[in-house]
Amino acid sequence: MGNYSLTLIDSLSTLAILASAPAGDENAGPKSLHDFQDGVAALVRQYGDGRPGRSGQGLRARGFDVDSKVQVFETVIRGVGGLLSAHLFAAGELPITGYNPPRTHEPGLEIPPIQWSNGFKYDGQLLRLALDLSQRLLPAFYTKTGMPYPRVNLRHGIPFYANSPLHETAPGVPGTSGGPPEITETCSAGAGSLVLEFTVLSRLTGDARFEQLAKRAFWAVWYRKSQIGLIGAGVDAENGHWIGAFAVIGAGADSFFEYALKSHILLSGHELPNRTVVNFDTTGDWMDPNVLFNPLSDFENSADSFLEAWHHAHAAIKRHLYNDREHPHYDNVNLYTGSLVSNWVDSLGAYYSGLLTLAGEVDEAIETNLLYTAIWTRYSALPERWSLRDKTVEGGLGWWPLRPEFIESTYHIYRATRDPWYLYVGEMVQRDINRRCRTQCGFSGLQNVLDGEKSDRMESFFLGETAKYMYLLFDDKHPLNNLDAAYVFTTEGHPLIIPKKPREVKARRRQAHFEPAQEEYYDDAFTNSCPAPPLVQPLTGSTTAARDDIYHAARLVDLHLIPSYHTTLYQLDGDGPSDEDDLATSPKRSFFPWTLPEAMVPDDGTCAKIYQPAELTLEFASNTQQVVDGSALNFLVGQQGLSRLDVDRIRVGTLSGLKLTMRLEEESSEEREWRVTKVNGVPLGRDEFAVMNRAILGDVSDSRFNMIRDPVVVKLQHLHRVAVDEPVADDDVEHLEYETDMQSLQAAMKALGAEKNQTGSSRVSELSSLVKSFFSRMASSLELQAPSRATPLPGMAAIPLPFNLVINQTGVTAVGIGAAPLPAIETPPGAHFPDVGAIHKKLLPWATVYAAGQSCSGTLPESAPRDHQIILMRRGGCNFSDKLSTIPAYLPSAKSLQLVIVVSDDVDDDADYLAYATSQSSAGMVRPLLDEAQLTPAGIPRRHPIPMVMVGGGDAAYLQLSAAERIGLTRRYYIESQGMRVRNIIVDEGDSERNL
Ligand code: DMJ
């Protein structure tokens, strides 16, 4: 594939690693060193030595000047990575036992010649060939997005992409005349995981182009992540749009995550790169696609930025893909919503446990790797896809092309834990491969793991990766297993390192506190170091074998139902696996891998309860009467009565025929709540909400679905009349967004008006929506009453009439023995407030406000509670009970005091109802504590205790409330089932999502 001796190139670093094998009987180490050196010599014979002159011409080609259309990603990871890694071994920058050539440390294309025993002089040929191959890939980077096109012709570049600046229609140039247009879809892994190879190439050669291109492509993928932090698997390199909306850890995305963390490791401790392009052009007139873009920032170039990306990528995966039902694994979910899209694991996804190990997430690595171990045990290989639902090969994708990911993770976990369990896993894999895949002249992939049919094809990654990790797993003393340096295995298993000058290393070791070039990122919310290996259990020798969830993985894979033929734990009668008696009586494989000796199995092992969260499905009777058919809700009742409000919200338009599936989530035995996982069969993501209007819930009351009045959170609404009578310049619009109090809004609105005396209701509503939209941007703590349509900036019409502006604020009730019940009168849910004209006092019942400041000393005037329905206070200065005790006794009446509103400085976010709606507590905002019974200023217990709520918003809110024309209060509601809150149903009141 690729037609450029890929298998040899991809195998060189494996030979270099085997070269450190102890001599032993088969002389493996020295023989491998010869094979490595002979392989390098053979390659140079075919492709030249990478220099411009005669020696650059090989038998086959000058460099990789081959008319072959290749995949950019595969060529980088297998070709460029293979050449660079082999160069680092040949040049002595990566260790081979007994091979210690003098090292050079200046970037450049030549190193002092090293004489090999096969007569070949190594002087950097592989590095020059890596540069040649990489330059041939540069045309692919001529995209607007910075993500490379997926394919390139090594000789002709990208003449076949119709929209590319390098498009050509030339006779004889393949792929340019006729035929369907070349596909511009690439995968996130393909676009985003080039950083390791291209960075090492740039640092070794001093040619800055590659590192910058690869990093830019990485960021181009990452910056496209969805609101919930997930990246898709497929993306269009030309326009940057996601193709398909799947987020996975495996095929399509895999090495992107790997390169986030490994780029951090590789770059750590190194200076920022030199970004001046020194063009070491050896073979042609190569351009630099970097010229199309602004330079990357220092942070985007730093090691830390990649760590930050990894942390956030993994956190999003843990939140939305990780599923601990039965046994932990990762789901495939919708990129935007996090809802489940398919129920299989792929063989490629097995790498993730190894990556987690490098990141210090060893527990998660161990548990998720177990599932793959169980699948391997069942099939003696890994099918490409395995269905979690059907517990069998998914969709006929039963091949195993000798992939490395599972053994790669096993290797990394073994290095972190030294648990011999993983050696037995390695032994199982080795025996199975030898039994099923070994052929006379190589190893064959399996076409079908179920029947063992071979595919007559050996992918280069078998020698490059699978065999390499198998070897390193067992060679504890290998120098790479003991190398104290920031080297990484690329996604193709090629070790890479950015060499340091010996002087630099020594100096840094001497420095007590070495400060790397960029230390801008540190977040202790994430894992920043690796845990110590778990203690080995004295009686079993394996903490993994003694885990109480080991059986969970087996059970998820149905291992316990599969007869075990080649177990070492129980001996068969010797007639072989076809023996009918054995079939019937053979023990099942509760323990795995099958190579595990009995001594490793704990005598008195226990099995933890399998985690199967409680699920509840509620089906509501189909009753057409229940459909809310008011015009306001008509548009919401789409197919199945559902409509999407936002990426994280689905509106349920009717209870009629509704089917809700809920899962009980338990943070602890006290913190248990339901989460709706499906609405009418439509899966919801972990952070997705079902929104139900209070009107459709009516008086629903059932222990399995009950609307509960929220005792903590309330909605305060206040009315303002805004008059506008002055013209305004467009510049003021900007200014307006930053105004935070009502007076300045009114002043600005005055300025906003155009000609006087112009009336007309369309103008009125145009401007009123405009103001509402301004207001919502100005003070995000203040919610606006449902503008029902988008609000483009109109040409600032004149509105002589005052119009109604209703502001919504979230408040919290008081708590403690001094807390009094809230007034019974409330603003009806979904109340509609007209844009202009009078507002009925039933909608907003209170009209008189007394602004009392902090009210910490003295006594308020008698008229304050007698003649005002609301007393407004600023938080601070004294406790809440003291504030209330400044209010004189009064005779309760409709005109006297109904409510005390305390305005706190709590900021906007805290007042977001969604924060409350998603939590059982008043997350963020502290409830005012009245820890004493209420007293009058004379110290007498109050006969009619005064209700209190607190809102956020500081001075601006205080000013607004004191200027309010009318004020009302609405209670909030949530849904409970069997006494536990349903976390992701929001009960709203108005007729629009803006009203949440
Ligand atoms: C290899 O080429 C690399 O490991 C790549 O990241 C994924 N595919 C194969 C192995 O399965």
Side-chain angles (χ1 to χ4, degrees):
M1 301 300 284
N3 201 13
Y4 59 96
S5 309
L6 187 59
T7 300
L8 174 58
I9 294 175
D10 217 1
S11 311
L12 286 174
S13 71
T14 303
L15 288 171
I17 284 172
L18 293 176
S20 293
D25 283 349
E26 291 173 37
N27 209 21
K31 184 172 178 308
S32 300
L33 184 62
H34 289 140
D35 287 347
F36 171 70
Q37 294 176 341
D38 287 351
V40 174
L43 192 76
V44 171
R45 246 192 326 277
Q46 294 298 320
Y47 298 93
D49 67 2
R51 292 200 181 96
R54 268 187 60 194
S55 59
Q57 179 63 50
L59 295 175
R60 175 112 211 278
R62 174 175 286 283
F64 295 97
D65 183 19
V66 181
D67 185 4
S68 172
K69 194 200 267 183
V70 299
Q71 294 209 26
V72 174
F73 169 66
E74 298 292 352
T75 308
V76 170
I77 65 167
R78 303 193 199 205
V80 178
L83 290 166
L84 287 173
S85 184
H87 165 76
L88 289 165
F89 280 110
E93 301 291 358
L94 285 170
I96 298 177
T97 307
Y99 175 76
N100 300 304
R103 291 154 61 194
T104 47
H105 302 288
E106 293 310 320
L109 295 182
E110 302 277 340
I111 63 167
I114 304 164
Q115 183 65 55
W116 287 349
S117 59
N118 61 356
F120 187 83
K121 275 197 184 128
Y122 187 74
D123 58 19
Q125 291 90 338
L126 296 173
L127 177 61
R128 293 192 293 273
L129 286 173
L131 176 66
D132 174 89
L133 184 56
S134 303
Q135 288 187 135
R136 295 177 185 282
L137 306 177
L138 288 181
F141 289 83
Y142 281 87
T143 61
K144 287 202 182 99
T145 60
M147 296 186 276
Y149 281 114
R151 274 166 284 275
V152 72
N153 183 299
L154 290 178
R155 179 174 293 161
H156 301 289
I158 53 162
F160 37 78
Y161 287 113
N163 302 321
S164 86
L166 307 179
H167 176 61
E168 278 170 42
T169 328
V173 176
T176 64
S177 28
E182 184 74 28
I183 292 169
T184 53
E185 173 180 357
T186 183
C187 58
S188 299
S193 25
L194 312 166
V195 182
L196 299 178
E197 291 83 356
F198 272 10
T199 295
V200 169
L201 179 66
S202 282
R203 302 286 175 120
L204 289 176
T205 59
D207 184 334
R209 291 175 293 172
F210 305 96
E211 179 174 351
Q212 297 306 302
L213 288 172
K215 285 178 173 172
R216 183 175 292 105
F218 175 92
W219 293 118
V221 173
W222 182 237
Y223 293 152
R224 286 179 164 76
K225 63 184 180 295
S226 70
Q227 259 181 40
I228 55 173
L230 296 175
I231 59 160
V235 61
D236 189 309
E238 272 182 352
N239 62 26
H241 297 158
W242 293 118
I243 297 170
F246 305 104
V248 297
I249 55 155
D254 48 4
S255 49
F256 178 84
F257 304 118
E258 193 181 345
Y259 275 38
L261 181 69
K262 289 183 176 175
S263 298
H264 165 69
I265 298 172
L266 181 81
L267 291 166
S268 59
H270 290 278
E271 302 293 327
L272 288 174
N274 172 12
R275 275 157 273 178
T276 322
V277 170
V278 183
N279 198 334
F280 287 99
D281 186 353
T282 55
T283 46
D285 182 18
W286 304 107
M287 295 178 282
D288 178 13
N290 285 299
V291 298
L292 301 177
F293 304 94
N294 289 328
L296 297 175
S297 68
D298 281 359
F299 189 63
E300 287 166 317
N301 263 300
S302 71
D304 286 357
S305 59
F306 289 93
L307 181 64
E308 184 179 29
W310 156 254
H311 278 160
H312 289 276
H314 173 240
I317 288 170
K318 191 80 191 276
R319 175 135 199 99
H320 300 287
L321 275 68
Y322 179 85
N323 185 346
D324 54 358
R325 184 191 204 104
E326 289 187 61
H327 185 81
H329 56 274
Y330 301 97
D331 286 330
N332 307 316
V333 304
N334 182 289
L335 162 67
Y336 302 104
T337 65
S339 55
L340 186 75
V341 290
S342 57
N343 221 216
W344 41 258
V345 291
D346 67 2
S347 160
L348 283 156
Y351 81 102
Y352 198 67
S353 316
L355 181 61
L356 288 170
T357 309
L358 293 183
E361 312 282 0
V362 181
D363 284 343
E364 190 181 339
I366 292 174
E367 58 182 23
T368 50
N369 171 267
L370 278 181
L371 177 67
Y372 285 101
T373 315
I375 300 177
W376 184 290
T377 308
R378 176 164 165 186
Y379 295 99
S380 292
L382 278 190
E384 186 73 356
R385 274 189 197 171
W386 190 79
S387 166
L388 289 152
R389 197 190 49 197
D390 304 334
K391 306 208 171 195
T392 184
V393 169
E394 162 87 19
L397 278 66
W399 56 84
W400 182 63
L402 303 162
R403 288 197 191 280
E405 288 77 8
F406 169 55
I407 196 67
E408 168 188 348
S409 285
T410 301
Y411 162 71
H412 284 302
I413 300 175
Y414 176 64
R415 297 306 313 159
T417 62
R418 305 296 167 93
D419 186 329
W421 156 277
Y422 297 100
L423 298 178
Y424 292 108
V425 174
E427 183 188 345
M428 168 177 77
V429 171
Q430 187 183 345
R431 285 175 186 270
D432 285 339
I433 292 178
N434 273 326
R435 194 179 69 253
R436 306 187 86 191
C437 306
R438 193 172 196 132
T439 68
Q440 216 178 351
C441 48
F443 285 79
S444 167
L446 297 177
Q447 189 55 37
N448 186 348
V449 297
L450 295 173
D451 61 15
E453 181 195 347
K454 294 189 177 61
S455 60
D456 193 14
R457 174 183 167 116
M458 183 177 76
E459 283 277 355
S460 68
F461 52 67
F462 175 70
L463 296 180
E465 285 195 83
T466 315
K468 180 184 289 158
Y469 286 121
M470 285 294 290
Y471 178 75
L472 283 172
L473 172 67
F474 292 108
D475 187 356
D476 240 4
K477 296 205 165 59
H478 193 279
L480 276 184
N481 281 336
N482 298 284
L483 183 61
D484 180 16
Y487 81 94
V488 288
F489 289 97
T490 67
T491 192
E492 189 70 8
H494 297 302
L496 288 182
I497 192 167
I498 302 175
K500 277 187 183 150
K501 299 171 189 161
R503 265 179 292 123
E504 212 180 0
V505 176
K506 277 191 197 143
R508 286 201 173 142
R509 283 204 181 126
R510 273 199 304 272
Q511 253 176 291
H513 303 289
F514 163 62
E515 303 244 338
Q518 289 286 317
E519 199 61 78
E520 289 172 9
Y521 166 76
Y522 178 81
D523 190 341
D524 62 9
F526 297 101
T527 302
N528 288 294
S529 59
C530 295
L535 289 178
V536 171
Q537 298 285 313
L539 294 179
T540 66
S542 166
T543 39
T544 308
R547 284 175 71 100
D548 62 5
D549 63 348
I550 195 101
Y551 177 66
H552 300 186
R555 193 169 174 283
L556 181 55
V557 176
D558 271 357
L559 264 190
H560 61 310
L561 303 178
I562 310 291
S564 174
Y565 296 125
H566 46 198
T567 179
T568 57
L569 291 175
Y570 308 90
Q571 293 307 316
L572 305 177
D573 67 10
D575 295 340
S578 56
D579 186 314
E580 287 295 317
D581 290 344
D582 285 345
L583 258 184
T585 58
S586 79
K588 311 294 187 275
R589 291 178 183 146
S590 299
F591 286 101
F592 60 98
W594 60 262
T595 41
L596 194 72
E598 203 165 350
M600 283 274 157
V601 179
D603 269 349
D604 54 356
T606 52
C607 178
K609 192 172 168 230
I610 292 184
Y611 176 53
Q612 269 176 317
E615 269 196 354
L616 180 66
T617 298
L618 297 178
E619 295 195 38
F620 294 75
S622 183
N623 171 5
T624 45
Q625 302 278 306
Q626 270 188 314
V627 176
V628 174
D629 200 22
S631 56
L633 279 178
N634 254 348
F635 76 101
L636 299 171
V637 188
Q639 201 193 359
Q640 300 172 303
L642 305 180
S643 60
R644 181 159 288 287
L645 297 176
D646 208 336
V647 281
D648 61 351
R649 269 170 265 182
I650 287 183
R651 180 175 290 284
V652 177
T654 173
L655 290 190
S656 172
L658 179 68
K659 189 170 166 190
L660 286 180
T661 308
M662 305 195 290
R663 169 175 171 167
L664 191 63
E665 301 204 320
E666 302 179 70
E667 284 296 318
S668 65
S669 50
E670 291 90 55
E671 278 182 76
R672 302 197 308 163
E673 55 188 10
W674 294 103
R675 177 168 70 84
V676 177
T677 52
K678 279 184 195 166
V679 184
N680 288 351
V682 176
L684 292 193
R686 178 96 180 256
D687 290 334
E688 225 183 330
F689 296 88
V691 180
M692 296 184 186
N693 196 283
R694 198 165 131 191
I696 71 159
L697 293 165
D699 47 9
V700 63
S701 161
D702 187 299
S703 67
R704 285 157 302 175
F705 196 84
N706 208 355
M707 188 166 74
I708 305 284
R709 192 159 76 176
D710 194 324
V712 177
V713 184
V714 296
K715 182 167 84 172
L716 202 67
Q717 295 183 294
H718 36 114
L719 167 73
H720 302 266
R721 288 185 200 276
V722 182
V724 182
D725 55 28
E726 295 281 326
V728 71
D730 269 1
D731 291 354
D732 292 333
V733 171
E734 189 88 334
H735 168 68
L736 196 65
E737 290 181 25
Y738 302 102
E739 298 292 351
T740 50
D741 66 67
M742 194 65 195
Q743 279 94 334
S744 19
L745 175 74
Q746 284 175 333
M749 289 310 301
K750 274 189 178 181
L752 260 176
E755 319 94 56
K756 284 194 171 181
N757 302 326
Q758 229 187 339
T759 55
S761 62
S762 67
R763 287 294 172 100
V764 171
S765 66
E766 198 173 64
L767 190 53
S768 96
S769 336
L770 176 68
V771 173
K772 287 170 182 178
S773 116
F774 278 148
F775 224 107
S776 72
R777 279 180 283 151
M778 274 171 47
S780 51
S781 63
L782 309 177
E783 293 175 16
L784 294 163
Q785 186 63 37
S788 54
R789 60 195 172 78
T791 52
L793 295 180
M796 299 307 132
I799 313 295
L801 296 171
F803 63 88
N804 299 326
L805 183 64
V806 178
I807 297 171
N808 298 342
Q809 269 190 286
T810 299
V812 284
T813 56
V815 64
I817 53 168
L822 292 178
I825 309 172
E826 79 171 284
T827 300
H832 176 72
F833 302 101
D835 279 341
V836 291
I839 285 188
H840 198 284
K841 67 176 184 204
K842 271 198 177 154
L843 297 184
L844 297 171
W846 308 310
T848 44
V849 181
Y850 183 86
Q854 281 195 334
S855 201
C856 283
S857 57
T859 305
L860 297 181
E862 301 257 312
S863 61
R866 188 190 60 218
D867 302 336
H868 300 90
Q869 293 158 311
I870 301 288
I871 291 183
L872 193 61
M873 295 180 176
R874 275 300 259 129
R875 187 179 178 187
C878 57
N879 68 35
F880 295 100
S881 297
D882 289 348
K883 286 181 191 292
L884 285 187
S885 69
T886 62
I887 301 174
Y890 62 98
L891 204 60
S893 77
K895 293 203 165 135
S896 66
L897 183 60
Q898 309 291 315
L899 179 70
V900 168
I901 302 173
V902 179
V903 181
S904 120
D905 276 334
D906 283 341
V907 279
D908 311 342
D909 292 352
D910 295 341
D912 178 356
Y913 179 64
L914 208 54
Y916 299 109
T918 58
S919 153
Q920 300 219 31
S921 66
S922 57
M925 208 194 264
V926 181
R927 298 174 72 184
L929 174 64
L930 297 171
D931 54 357
E932 305 166 4
Q934 291 190 23
L935 302 176
T936 64
I940 302 165
R942 241 184 238 289
R943 283 185 58 199
H944 304 287
I946 308 165
M948 174 189 273
V949 296
M950 185 161 77
V951 296
D955 289 341
Y958 184 80
L959 277 172
Q960 286 152 7
L961 279 160
S962 49
E965 297 244 346
R966 304 200 73 87
I967 298 180
L969 194 72
T970 309
R971 305 301 298 266
R972 295 288 202 182
Y973 291 79
Y974 60 85
I975 301 295
E976 252 188 27
S977 182
Q978 297 168 359
M980 284 165 291
R981 185 164 179 166
V982 183
R983 173 166 72 78
N984 60 339
I985 294 184
I986 295 174
V987 179
D988 77 342
E989 290 134 14
D991 56 4
S992 152
E993 69 272 24
R994 295 289 301 273
N995 217 20
L996 291 178

